[in-house]
Amino acid sequence: MSPRPPTPPPPRNGAHTALFSSVRGAGYMLVLQLCSRLATFSLNNVVQRVASIRTVGIASDLELLSGSVLFLSRENLRMALLRGLKDDAVEVTEAERLQKDDSQDRISTWKAKRHRQKLVNLSYIPIFAGVLLAYLFLTYNEHFASPSRPTWALSLYLIAAVIELLSEPMYVLVQSALLYDVRARVEGAALMIKCMIAVTMTLSGYIPGTDGEKDVRGAEVYAWGQVAYAGILVLGYLWMLSKPEVWKKVCPEGGSLSNALMIRRVDSSLDDGKAKATYFDKAALLVAGGFTTQSALKYLLTEGDRILLLWMGRSSDEKGAYKMVSDLGSLIARILFQPLEETARAYFSRTLSSISLSTTKSPSHRDSITLSLSLLTLLLQLHMLLGSLFIFLAPNYTPVILLLLFGARKTTPQLVASLSLYCVYVPIMGLNGILEAFVQGVADGNVLRRQSLWLVICSGVFTGVAYVGSPLLGGTEALIVANCSNLGMRALFGLWFVRHFYENLGVESNGLQILRLVPGDRRLYGGLVVAYVVTKWSLHHLGWHGWKECLSHVAIGGACGVLVLTLMYTTERHGLLKNLRASWKMIKGKTS
């Protein structure tokens, strides 16, 4: 049995505020991801019934190009802004000048306005970068046109990407004020409009009956939905920020939204004792530059499977089949893991990025360090516990899931095998997400450069495994195994950094060793093996093709699930589950 992580100490006010905001944000983002993924999945099903699997493949290529514009334009700057903008000498000098005439409140107001202006100015950089990237993609498509990239649908996707980037200044204001509820409402509404537009166009006969034109029109349905999403995103943020109760949280000192969104010069450095006014914060640009290479490499690895399919010239049918597997396989991961990853990154960056060995003697900093280590350990162990349930039980129920969602015609042995293998990949995805959120939240430039080098090695391993495994396992299965290798290596780097980070702060981190992180004991894993064997037997002997057989198979799986959950509770009620309850009480301000 793994050693029990210590019960987290009650945090002081600063740590409690950041933790409470992060956990509340995780709740809002969890609801958003649940609604968005289920709505998107429903949309795909409706469109696929009218169009074809090839349409999904074409849309997958276009989404890849559109996503590339968005990710490469804004991801590095978003990660840099999460670190916050540090005060410089100009602020001290100006504060001293103001203090002679006004109160401390005036100084705080001046600092808040200056900080917000820096954020707004920097948020315009992704817009300019996105326009440039969209133009380059369109130019490339004109010279190297392909049937898998219909020009009009591609243009719509790129226009939607640029429109979405126009919301970046408002997104930054909302995110800096930790208004996760505003973000959830706006993005949720935009997604629902996107689904309604696409479904309405599909059911109204926009997609014709001829096969060739049907695939192109089907891709255009996805594209128009994306345009609607981007437009509602911009309008939604404008509408929410125009509400007095929301704007007061973003800008307590007052002022208009239109005035706050304008680019202005701000004092950002000293030059021979005189304030030098610039548009962009130099320190944030340097941090963003450090994230640029890393973001590009991470994107190549994240979307490497789809990029390889595109580069290898696979058919749109193959791309569509792989997208179906990845969308379905990662549905739970993106609903649960992505909100946790985003809020963990925000929490760790806000509480740990400014802490060094010289500041650990401060009681508030010491509490933040101990609290962050306890919560990180709990998150990793919880991921492992839920991941074991996913690995041992889910693969034997992929035929039932595919049958219910797509019907018997699309429940092919290849699709079943691919989705079963994807069930092993999902827990690795969750573990790596938490560890990389920590690295991106607190690592300095040297560590980020080292991580970038490691990502290059990971990309080589990913490509090699996919290339060698393709003739042995098949294209889809080889890509999934390559993804497992890639994320496993990235998670090892994250674990190495976490241990060294806390050791450098003088905190014992033996609890972060791999074997000590694994929750449960032999009883639990014996029960998991028994559950896997029983459900495997049920799958092959009872079958799943008829409703009676299907219900019997599901009933056996339910019984095995109850057995495993009982063992989890028995083995962890005095360890992981006890600490989770303590953490929840602490978050609510009811520490025992």
Side-chain angles (χ1 to χ4, degrees):
M1 183 180 295
S2 60
R4 308 302 181 191
T7 301
R12 299 173 192 270
N13 290 337
H16 183 276
T17 301
L19 178 59
F20 180 75
S21 299
S22 298
V23 172
R24 182 178 58 182
Y28 286 126
M29 296 308 296
L30 179 63
V31 173
L32 172 63
Q33 288 295 324
L34 177 63
C35 296
S36 66
R37 297 300 168 185
L38 291 178
T40 302
F41 189 76
S42 301
L43 163 69
N44 289 339
N45 272 340
V46 171
V47 177
Q48 286 167 24
R49 291 181 185 278
V50 180
S52 66
I53 194 68
R54 186 170 183 271
T55 299
V56 183
I58 294 174
S60 177
D61 281 352
L62 299 179
E63 287 174 8
L64 178 62
L65 296 176
S66 174
S68 299
V69 172
L70 292 172
F71 193 94
L72 298 176
S73 299
R74 68 188 183 188
E75 189 66 17
N76 59 341
L77 209 62
R78 280 187 174 186
M79 288 191 291
L81 294 181
L82 275 174
R83 299 292 191 91
L85 303 176
K86 297 181 180 179
D87 295 344
D88 52 34
V90 176
E91 289 193 9
V92 177
T93 304
E94 184 69 8
E96 291 174 353
R97 184 185 68 77
L98 288 171
Q99 198 170 16
K100 296 177 181 179
D101 304 320
D102 299 290
S103 64
Q104 189 65 32
D105 290 339
R106 173 78 182 276
I107 299 171
S108 300
T109 298
W110 178 83
K111 285 186 176 183
K113 286 183 177 179
R114 184 171 180 272
H115 176 80
R116 191 164 50 250
Q117 189 63 55
K118 286 182 179 182
L119 292 175
V120 170
N121 287 357
L122 288 166
S123 67
Y124 279 91
I125 295 178
I127 299 176
F128 303 136
V131 171
L132 177 61
L133 287 172
Y135 172 76
L136 293 176
F137 277 131
L138 280 175
T139 304
Y140 174 84
N141 192 66
E142 287 181 4
H143 291 85
F144 303 97
S146 169
S148 65
R149 295 192 305 272
T151 302
W152 178 234
L154 174 62
S155 301
L156 289 175
Y157 263 102
L158 295 178
I159 290 171
V162 173
I163 295 174
E164 186 171 342
L165 288 172
L166 292 177
S167 69
E168 202 65 14
M170 293 167 285
Y171 168 88
V172 167
L173 290 176
V174 168
Q175 190 73 5
S176 64
L178 300 178
L179 299 179
Y180 294 101
D181 56 333
V182 172
R183 181 183 167 191
R185 291 174 188 174
V186 172
E187 294 184 12
L191 186 80
M192 292 308 298
I193 296 296
K194 168 186 173 179
C195 294
M196 290 171 61
I197 292 292
V199 171
T200 301
M201 291 181 66
T202 300
L203 298 179
S204 64
Y206 183 82
I207 302 177
T210 57
D211 290 339
E213 193 176 359
K214 177 189 292 187
D215 296 328
V216 174
R217 288 290 188 91
E220 290 177 8
V221 164
Y222 282 98
W224 280 114
Q226 196 63 32
V227 172
Y229 172 85
I232 296 299
L233 201 65
V234 174
L235 296 176
Y237 274 125
L238 284 172
W239 180 64
M240 290 298 294
L241 288 174
S242 65
K243 290 185 173 183
E245 63 272 18
V246 175
W247 183 242
K248 186 176 181 180
K249 296 177 183 178
V250 176
C251 186
E253 65 276 7
S256 65
L257 173 60
S258 59
N259 191 49
L261 292 176
M262 293 179 64
I263 300 180
R264 289 187 176 84
R265 290 179 180 270
V266 291
D267 297 337
S268 60
S269 61
L270 286 178
D271 186 10
D272 298 329
K274 296 181 180 180
K276 181 181 179 182
T278 60
Y279 284 106
F280 304 113
D281 183 75
K282 191 174 182 180
L285 288 176
L286 289 175
V287 175
F291 277 120
T292 300
T293 303
Q294 185 197 48
S295 297
L297 288 171
K298 183 181 177 182
Y299 184 72
L300 288 174
L301 290 171
T302 303
E303 301 292 347
D305 42 12
R306 295 165 71 186
I307 294 173
L308 270 179
L309 287 173
L310 186 64
W311 177 68
M312 294 168 65
R314 298 288 186 177
S315 68
S316 295
D317 293 283
E318 289 181 273
K319 296 172 188 173
Y322 182 77
K323 180 173 171 57
M324 287 174 60
V325 170
S326 61
D327 284 351
L328 183 57
S330 61
L331 190 63
I332 298 299
R334 298 195 181 192
I335 289 174
L336 180 61
F337 297 155
Q338 188 172 333
L340 284 176
E341 181 181 340
E342 290 186 13
T343 51
R345 186 189 295 119
Y347 169 71
F348 291 133
S349 65
R350 289 175 67 89
T351 56
L352 298 177
S353 61
S354 61
I355 292 179
S356 62
L357 184 60
S358 60
T359 62
T360 55
K361 295 181 180 179
S362 167
S364 61
H365 283 178
R366 196 70 185 178
D367 283 349
S368 296
I369 294 170
T370 306
L371 175 63
S372 66
L373 177 59
S374 299
L375 293 179
L376 178 63
T377 304
L378 287 174
L379 279 175
L380 293 175
Q381 290 193 325
L382 183 62
H383 271 70
M384 288 186 176
L385 200 64
L386 296 177
S388 62
L389 188 65
F390 210 75
I391 290 172
F392 283 92
L393 285 180
N396 292 328
Y397 287 87
T398 53
V400 177
I401 296 171
L402 290 171
L403 179 66
L404 292 175
L405 293 174
F406 302 114
R409 185 172 59 88
K410 292 185 178 179
T411 309
T412 62
Q414 182 184 2
L415 211 58
V416 170
S418 299
L419 187 57
S420 298
L421 187 58
Y422 208 96
C423 293
V424 179
Y425 173 54
V426 168
I428 302 175
M429 189 189 308
L431 284 173
N432 178 69
I434 293 296
L435 290 168
E436 284 199 342
F438 187 95
V439 175
Q440 292 167 359
V442 305
D444 58 20
N446 291 329
V447 174
L448 292 177
R449 284 189 289 272
R450 187 176 296 184
Q451 187 188 32
S452 297
L453 178 60
W454 185 251
L455 289 177
V456 173
I457 298 173
C458 291
S459 65
V461 172
F462 169 80
T463 306
V465 171
Y467 180 79
V468 173
S470 185
L472 299 175
L473 302 173
T476 303
E477 288 87 346
L479 285 175
I480 297 172
V481 173
N483 274 322
C484 290
S485 304
N486 163 36
L487 287 194
M489 292 178 64
R490 287 161 61 180
L492 287 176
F493 179 91
L495 191 60
W496 168 85
F497 170 76
V498 169
R499 292 190 59 196
H500 279 72
F501 176 82
Y502 284 108
E503 288 173 359
N504 289 337
L505 294 178
V507 179
E508 182 63 42
S509 62
N510 287 335
L512 291 173
Q513 294 178 0
I514 296 178
L515 292 179
R516 294 192 175 192
L517 278 173
V518 177
D521 58 14
R522 286 177 293 181
R523 288 177 297 166
L524 172 59
Y525 294 99
L528 286 168
V529 171
V530 170
Y532 176 82
V533 171
V534 171
T535 53
K536 191 74 172 178
W537 174 88
S538 171
L539 176 66
H540 287 288
H541 289 79
L542 296 180
W544 48 272
H545 294 284
W547 284 108
K548 290 183 179 179
E549 293 84 354
C550 211
L551 288 174
S552 300
H553 182 49
V554 170
I556 290 175
C560 291
V562 171
L563 169 65
V564 171
L565 289 174
T566 302
L567 288 172
M568 285 183 176
Y569 176 79
T570 303
T571 58
E572 289 295 331
R573 61 179 174 176
H574 297 303
L576 177 61
L577 299 179
K578 177 183 177 181
N579 288 328
L580 282 173
R581 287 192 294 268
S583 298
W584 179 246
K585 290 181 180 179
M586 175 190 62
I587 291 167
K588 296 171 67 176
K590 301 177 181 178
T591 52
S592 55

